């Protein structure tokens, strides 16, 4: 019985290894075909979660984004992400509990893009939130998934976390439509 179990386990391990090698060859071909188009441009519709709006309430604010990215190689890229929060809201500054009114703030980030796979992208970078009363520097980390539709278009669910320096934090979830050039 022990020999049969070992034999079955070895056969399963061998079949998984062979399947993984075939999948790796297919992924490499798809990556090289997809990599020929280095520029990625997308529009994103999203909602931004703000933990506290100063009155103990949690708040979701609609936002729109425009993302432009350039793939340097198969694993790395650089991107410019811009978002506008489509509403006025009040937030609480973390260090002194001061309430700050935000009127349609714009967020710009310059992100390093790391392609975990051909479709899954980790984004990390510095940015700034610009608003008429006060601007904040920020740091962003996020994930994007590029689900290809045909050869040039893709759907892109996104998830970002922004931490403003001397300010507040937000989490943004959205869905974008992109185009490869």
């Amino acid at each position: 019985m022990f020999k049969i179990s070992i034999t079955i386990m070895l056969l399963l391990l061998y079949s998984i290894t062979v399947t993984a090698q075939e999948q790796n060859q297919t992924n490499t071909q798809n990556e090289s075909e997809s990599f020929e188009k280095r520029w990625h441009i997308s529009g994103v519709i999203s909602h931004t979660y703000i933990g506290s709006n100063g009155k103990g309430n949690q708040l979701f604010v609609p936002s729109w984004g425009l993302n432009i990215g350039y793939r340097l190689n198969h694993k790395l890229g650089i991107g410019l992400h811009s978002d506008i929060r489509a509403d006025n809201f009040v937030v609480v500054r973390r260090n002194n509990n001061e309430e700050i009114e935000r009127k349609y703030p714009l967020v710009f980030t310059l992100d390093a893009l790391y392609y975990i796979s051909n479709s899954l992208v980790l984004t990390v970078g510095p940015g700034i939130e610009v608003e008429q009363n006060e601007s904040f520097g920020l740091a962003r980390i996020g994930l994007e998934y590029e689900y290809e539709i045909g050869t040039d278009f893709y759907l892109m669910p996104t998830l970002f976390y922004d931490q403003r320096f001397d300010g507040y934090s937000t989490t943004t979830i959205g869905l974008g439509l992109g185009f490869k050039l």
Side-chain angles (χ1 to χ4, degrees), residues 26-40 69-78 113-119 121 146 148 150-152 154 179-181:
T26 304
N27 286 345
T28 303
Q29 290 172 350
N30 290 340
E31 285 179 10
S32 63
E33 291 170 4
S34 175
F35 183 65
E36 293 174 7
K37 298 191 177 188
R38 293 177 180 248
W39 288 98
H40 293 216
Y70 182 77
R71 284 189 84 160
L72 300 170
N73 57 39
H74 292 301
K75 288 290 184 184
L76 299 175
I78 189 164
L113 309 176
Y114 177 72
Y115 287 81
I116 297 168
S117 69
N118 194 38
S119 300
V121 185
E146 297 176 356
E148 292 187 8
T151 57
D152 295 333
Y154 59 92
F179 183 72
K180 297 178 186 179
L181 298 173

Side-chain angles (χ1 to χ4, degrees), residues 5 22-23 32 67 93 119 122 158 160 177:
S5 298
E22 288 178 17
Q23 184 66 33
S32 63
N67 302 336
R93 188 186 301 260
S119 300
L122 174 67
T158 62
F160 294 112
L177 179 62

Side-chain angles (χ1 to χ4, degrees), residues 64-102:
W64 298 302
L66 178 64
N67 302 336
I68 300 171
Y70 182 77
R71 284 189 84 160
L72 300 170
N73 57 39
H74 292 301
K75 288 290 184 184
L76 299 175
I78 189 164
L80 175 64
H81 293 106
S82 58
D83 306 324
I84 183 169
R85 309 291 178 245
D87 205 352
N88 296 337
F89 54 94
V90 175
V91 296
V92 175
R93 188 186 301 260
R94 287 193 177 186
N95 57 359
N96 62 6
N97 291 333
E98 173 189 2
E99 289 188 359
I100 306 166
E101 183 178 1
R102 309 302 286 164

Side-chain angles (χ1 to χ4, degrees), residues 43-49 60-67 82-86 140 156-160 171-176:
V44 180
I45 297 173
S46 54
H47 277 82
T48 301
Y49 169 75
F60 285 90
V61 177
S63 52
W64 298 302
L66 178 64
N67 302 336
S82 58
D83 306 324
I84 183 169
R85 309 291 178 245
R140 171 175 279 185
M156 183 179 64
T158 62
L159 177 65
F160 294 112
T171 302
T172 303
I173 186 166
L175 182 64

